[in-house]
Amino acid sequence: MTDRTAFAAKLNALIADDAVFADGGARVISQGGAPSVLAAILAEVDNTVLERTLVFGMGAVTVSAVVAGRRMRGIVDIDADVAGASDIVGQVLSRDEPDLLENTGALLTALGDAAGVVTVRSTPVQSLGSSGDAGISATGLAEIWDVDMDATPAPPMERFLAANADKLVGLIHINAGKIAEQGGESDVLKAMWEEQIPEFRKRFKALHPKHDGPMLICLDDAIEGELGAALALVDDEACMMSYKPGDLAAIIGSWTAITA
């Protein structure tokens, strides 16, 4: 791939209309472990030519990295009391510092995995090191951290269930018409799937014959008591799930981020 072709491909990626944004305007780059935290971060580094500070949001923690020329110069700030942060903040990444590289990759992975969702904002560059400190390219870091930047993400339903495992009280995961997974308080969900959902889907198809994209349908008052229920559909997979009403906004946000 020529440099011009690579540049055009990156411009097309940047203007794509399928980006998902979190509260505050930060763009979601990883959700439920897909792509992996490091792969998502390195993709942003690889897309950054001019000097910028990329601010990665990981739950309640933000990590600011100085980036330029598709290279990461280093971590300039971590805005929380995180174990090991003092060992990497303010240090310029170098192949001559293997411990620094290992610690940086490990800390980014730990913070991102714990948060579940990783976002990014591009801000003016902050000072780090000297003008001669170039840092390491995204592809170089991918090699050092053993990251496959071209890895195919897991199917959307698998990523959604993994990202929301702590929010689903019960679930029935159906793949190609067969129950692939059943967990939690699922007896009522199974009865709904077998007795009510076929007729519901038939009527929905009649009303919306051209709709074949992902859907998350909330079923009001479907379960008596304190739980809500929803039907998720994507490709040839479906999931009946129950949840606490207070988690609904997070579940919808997760679904949107993964299936956009």
Side-chain angles (χ1 to χ4, degrees):
M1 182 182 290
T2 66
D3 289 343
R4 183 173 296 178
T5 302
F7 184 64
K10 293 186 183 302
L11 283 178
N12 287 333
L14 290 172
I15 64 175
D17 60 3
D18 60 353
V20 175
F21 294 88
D23 293 341
R27 180 163 46 86
V28 176
I29 59 174
S30 178
Q31 171 90 17
S36 71
V37 174
L38 291 182
I41 289 174
L42 292 181
E44 295 303 313
V45 173
D46 201 37
N47 283 330
T48 304
V49 178
L50 302 179
E51 284 191 322
R52 301 295 288 168
T53 298
L54 298 183
V55 180
F56 298 100
M58 304 177 186
V61 182
T62 59
V63 178
S64 300
V66 175
V67 178
R70 301 169 64 184
R71 305 172 71 89
M72 181 186 289
R73 190 173 295 164
I75 305 300
V76 72
D77 182 56
I78 297 178
D79 72 342
D81 185 11
V82 177
S86 60
D87 295 331
I88 66 173
V89 171
Q91 305 297 316
V92 176
L93 299 182
S94 168
R95 291 182 181 272
D96 295 331
E97 299 289 345
D99 289 343
L100 172 62
L101 295 175
E102 180 180 354
N103 293 338
T104 300
L107 185 58
L108 291 175
T109 299
L111 291 175
D113 287 346
V117 177
V118 180
T119 64
V120 67
R121 290 185 294 109
S122 181
T123 66
V125 67
Q126 299 181 39
S127 176
L128 178 64
S130 66
S131 58
D133 293 323
I136 302 177
S137 68
T139 53
L141 287 172
E143 179 182 356
I144 293 168
W145 290 337
D146 193 23
V147 175
D148 183 358
M149 295 176 64
D150 298 318
T152 302
M157 188 67 79
E158 180 180 334
R159 287 150 49 197
F160 172 73
L161 295 178
N164 295 279
D166 61 332
K167 299 180 182 66
L168 302 185
V169 178
L171 71 90
I172 296 179
H173 176 199
I174 298 94
N175 193 342
K178 297 182 179 179
I179 295 179
E181 180 184 3
Q182 185 171 340
E185 300 176 16
S186 58
D187 291 344
V188 174
L189 297 174
K190 185 176 181 181
M192 292 172 59
W193 173 257
E194 294 175 346
E195 300 169 8
Q196 302 177 41
I197 298 303
E199 181 64 22
F200 167 81
R201 297 185 69 179
K202 180 180 178 181
R203 293 186 180 184
F204 186 91
K205 188 68 175 178
L207 292 172
H208 307 279
K210 295 183 179 180
H211 194 298
D212 59 358
M215 292 187 292
L216 179 65
I217 303 166
C218 298
L219 308 172
D220 292 339
D221 301 323
I223 299 178
E224 295 182 0
E226 300 180 353
L227 299 180
L231 170 64
L233 301 168
V234 58
D235 299 328
D236 61 348
E237 295 185 82
C239 181
M240 287 294 303
M241 67 192 80
S242 59
Y243 53 86
K244 295 180 179 179
D247 289 328
L248 179 57
I251 290 172
I252 292 176
S254 173
W255 177 260
T256 303
I258 290 173
T259 61

